[in-house]
Amino acid sequence: MKPIDLIKVLIADDHDLTCLGLKTLISQQPHCQVVGIAVNGQQAIDLAKSCQPDVIRAC
């Protein structure tokens, strides 16, 4: 059986508590990994280019 690849997630939000909550929930999923947290749009663009996430969760 082929191992399942991790789903790389980038979180983009300017509220610390929201980011922390989302990171906690996503990190608890066995096949998900938070690869970055952006606090503004430019940082989200930069991290998306460097981290190559599969999913970007913007609030």
Side-chain angles (χ1 to χ4, degrees):
M1 184 166 46
K2 178 185 174 194
I4 298 175
D5 293 331
L6 286 176
I7 299 170
K8 299 181 292 184
V9 180
L10 171 63
I11 299 170
D13 195 296
D14 60 349
H15 293 96
D16 291 338
L17 189 56
T18 302
C19 287
L20 179 61
L22 284 171
K23 180 181 179 185
T24 300
L25 288 172
I26 293 168
S27 296
Q28 291 176 352
Q29 303 306 310
H31 302 296
C32 293
Q33 176 186 20
V34 176
V35 294
I37 296 176
V39 296
N40 61 48
Q42 186 60 54
Q43 191 177 31
I45 292 168
D46 294 342
L47 284 172
K49 289 178 183 177
S50 65
C51 296
Q52 299 286 309
D54 300 307
V55 177
I56 299 175
R57 173 62 172 119
C59 300

